[in-house]
Structures are given as structure tokens and as C-alpha cells.
Amino acid sequence: MTRLKVGLLFGGCSGEHEVSIISARAIAQALHTEQNQAKYTVLPFYIQKDGIWQGTALAEQVLDSGKPLACALTASEIQPNRWQFPAQVAEVDVWFPVLHGPNGEDGTVQGLFKLTQVPFVGSGVLGSAIGMDKLAMKMAFAQAGLPQVNYLAVTRSQIWSDPCTYSKLCEQIESTLGYPCFIKPANLGSSVGIAKARNRHQLDAALDSAASYDRRIIVEAGVTAREVECAVLGNDRPKASVIGEITYQSDFYDYETKYTEGRAELLIPAQLSSSVVERIQDMAIQAFMAIDGAGLARVDFFYNEVNQEILINEINTLPGFTATSMYPQLWAASGVSFAELVDQLIQFALERRDDMTTSHESAPS
């Protein structure tokens, strides 16, 4: 049997570069298991923090070391070299992008894959873009009738404006959402740039910080609830996993808590009634379909035990994929091993390619 060449693309120009390397190492190991080695050949490609693509030799070095590659080019050399792709790119049969954050899971690299007409794991341009932009995501969820926390959309120009305009913005946040509230850049993942504000002084600092990351910001009302997550797998007939819960001692699930060992605990499966589990699973699939998701996603929720209210928080179309990440662990608890999960995702990518080919061939001339 001819083995498919899987282009494992990782690194990238985002603050989640290091996390991407860890995820890629886990996926590479899964592709080298006996059951997958008979079907796939791994071709790793590494994107440096400056945007330069590196071929398999250097990519394998990064996977082995687990550390980013030092950028050797000068600023004047970077721009023309960003368009130079390693020759082995042409050999790839299916892409497995593991690029967390901007320029990786926001539809940009997905558009590149579509232009080259090579299938890829995960959501397409639309699903990736909506899943990355928290404001667009919220609008899609609202259209689908999914309950959410109260929020306001804010722009950088409102924050970095004259004192009168800025004061009115803060007053609107305080009167509409109150304290505590959460301030988030619209287009960053892994809790980067997120802050919790309990008063005007903290709100000022949080808004200024978020504006330094993105020109679009979301401010959400704080809620007292359990934080639970559900994994989704599939294309047009997706399935939902068991439910997991995140517990932690810090004030909220920030970047340090998320990626520092021992700071947070994943409880799988979460201790929930069967009726609540079913509601969360149904809502996860609704959210996945609302953004036109494909392949995989992790959907995060708030669950208020007092009134049994379930509020959708967000969807992540390219969640962390390390051996200890919530997404693969949820599927392991649902009976799908890490190696099987990686295999299924590649098969779902090929399924989408076949669907596109069929639709093109059957379209009237």
C-alpha cells in the first residue's frame, strides 16, 4: 500500500509558537506508531517566528529538541524569503497544520492550502476565521440561538482616544456589564492578553493592554460557574466527546495557569448529570455547525449549578494537541486513542477533499 505523505506544519508567527512545537511533537509520535506508520510518511515543516519556512531536516531538529530555531536572517532578508517554500512541500498529499493562534488557525494558512488544492486537517477558511475572531464567533453563536454571557465589542480607536470618548466607554462597560469583567483581544488564543478587572483602575490597564494586541477587543461580564469543555470530531456528521472540567486555584484560567504544570487540573469525565451532559454535547455540535467547522474543535462552556444554566464561552478550531491537552484526553476517555484520533483527522481531511472533487465534477458547465 502506498503511504500518504503528511505535511506536519508547526511553529508559526504567533505567541503560541512554543505550544505549537509541543503539539507537533505529540502528533509526530502518533504518526510513527505501528498502526499509522503503515499508512503515513511524516514530512515535518517548521515556520520560524520570522515567517521563514524550513524543510524536513531542520524541522526534525526542532521536533527532537523541542525548542524554537534561532532566526538567523536580517530584517532586509526576511521579506523576500517568506515566499520561498522548501522543495519537499510539493510532495505533500495532505497537510496537518499545528499552528496555534494568528497566522495558523485564523484562515490564513487554510487559504494557502486551498490555493494549492491540497487537503488539510481542520476547518476551512470560514470556520477558522470565525473560530479565531471572538466577536465574529459571538455573532455566529447568537444567530444559532446559543446562550452566552453578556458582552460588549470595543475597538482600539475607542480605547486610545480623547479622554471624553474613553470615559464614556468605561461608563458604558460599568453600567452594562459591571465588575468583575474580562477583557480579551478578539484574535488571540491561549488566554494571551486576557485580564480580569474588578475596578476602574484595573479596567484602564486591561483595556490598554488588550489594545496593544488587537484593534478589536471584547469585554465580557464575569460569571460564577464551573468551566467545562467538550471535544467535537467529524465533518458534516460530527460527534461529541465526554465532558471535561477545568479546576484551578488562580483567579482565572490565564496563560500561566494553562501552561504551567500543576496550576490546573483536568477532570475527565466531569461530574455532571446525564441530562446536562447531553445538553452540552448538543450545544457543542450546534456551535461547530454554526461556524462551518470541520475535523476538530474544542467547545468551552460555563455551567451554573444553581440554576442549571449553560452558557457557551468559545470554540477553538485548533486546540492544544499535546498528550496532556484536554482535546485528545476527552477523546481518549471516549474510547479513541491518540494515534486513532490523528488517523481519523487525516481521513476527515481526505473526505473533505473528495467532497470538493465531487461537487466540482458534478457542477453544470
Side-chain angles (χ1 to χ4, degrees), residues 55-347:
T56 57
L58 284 174
E60 286 173 354
Q61 287 183 25
V62 176
L63 288 177
D64 290 340
S65 68
K67 297 179 181 179
L69 195 66
C71 302
L73 296 180
T74 63
S76 61
E77 294 173 319
I78 290 173
Q79 188 62 31
N81 280 281
R82 279 189 180 141
W83 294 101
Q84 305 303 312
F85 301 117
Q88 285 175 296
V89 163
E91 300 176 30
V92 173
D93 296 311
V94 56
W95 285 103
F96 201 130
V98 199
L99 298 166
H100 302 303
N103 303 307
E105 59 178 302
D106 58 2
T108 50
V109 78
Q110 288 77 13
L112 176 62
F113 294 151
K114 288 187 73 71
L115 283 172
T116 60
Q117 299 183 38
V118 178
F120 56 93
V121 169
S123 294
V125 175
L126 177 64
S128 298
I130 297 176
M132 189 68 194
D133 188 291
K134 292 180 176 65
L135 290 173
M137 178 199 306
K138 295 268 185 197
M139 289 186 278
F141 290 164
Q143 185 67 30
L146 294 166
Q148 310 175 71
V149 299
N150 292 330
Y151 71 94
L152 286 174
V154 179
T155 63
R156 177 187 288 160
S157 62
Q158 289 177 286
I159 297 170
W160 292 348
S161 61
D162 61 87
C164 182
T165 300
Y166 177 72
S167 180
K168 288 181 179 179
L169 170 64
C170 291
E171 290 170 4
Q172 181 187 17
I173 292 171
E174 291 170 334
S175 63
T176 305
L177 304 179
Y179 294 113
C181 60
F182 288 87
I183 299 86
K184 306 176 180 180
N187 282 280
L188 283 179
S190 283
S191 303
V192 176
I194 296 178
K196 182 178 182 178
R198 303 171 192 78
N199 52 53
R200 176 66 74 90
H201 177 71
Q202 292 179 349
L203 179 63
D204 289 340
L207 287 172
D208 185 63
S209 174
S212 71
Y213 286 103
D214 198 347
R215 64 182 184 82
R216 300 170 75 242
I217 295 94
I218 183 168
V219 184
E220 296 177 339
V223 294
T224 301
R226 295 166 64 180
E227 296 189 29
V228 296
E229 301 183 348
C230 181
V232 179
L233 176 67
N235 288 332
D236 296 332
R237 292 177 293 278
K239 295 180 180 180
S241 71
V242 301
I243 310 303
E245 182 173 3
I246 300 170
T247 62
Y248 45 86
Q249 297 300 317
S250 57
D251 197 28
F252 69 99
Y253 198 43
D254 57 8
Y255 186 93
E256 185 177 358
T257 300
K258 184 175 291 187
Y259 293 113
T260 303
E261 188 174 354
R263 291 290 184 92
E265 184 179 359
L266 308 183
L267 304 177
I268 304 172
Q271 297 302 303
L272 299 166
S273 68
S274 58
S275 61
V276 171
V277 168
E278 289 177 6
R279 286 167 60 195
I280 292 172
Q281 290 173 327
D282 288 344
M283 290 173 66
I285 291 176
Q286 287 180 54
F288 188 77
M289 301 301 286
I291 69 160
D292 191 31
L296 74 162
R298 192 197 69 234
V299 191
D300 305 343
F301 298 89
F302 297 120
Y303 172 56
N304 187 326
E305 286 185 288
V306 176
N307 58 16
Q308 294 197 325
E309 182 181 40
I310 301 170
L311 301 173
I312 188 166
N313 180 21
E314 63 182 40
I315 189 169
N316 190 323
T317 58
L318 192 58
F321 222 105
T322 71
T324 58
S325 295
M326 179 68 96
Y327 184 83
Q329 286 204 61
L330 286 173
W331 281 114
S334 304
V336 182
S337 71
F338 197 103
E340 291 172 324
L341 183 59
V342 168
D343 176 39
Q344 287 192 31
L345 286 170
I346 294 172
Q347 294 304 312

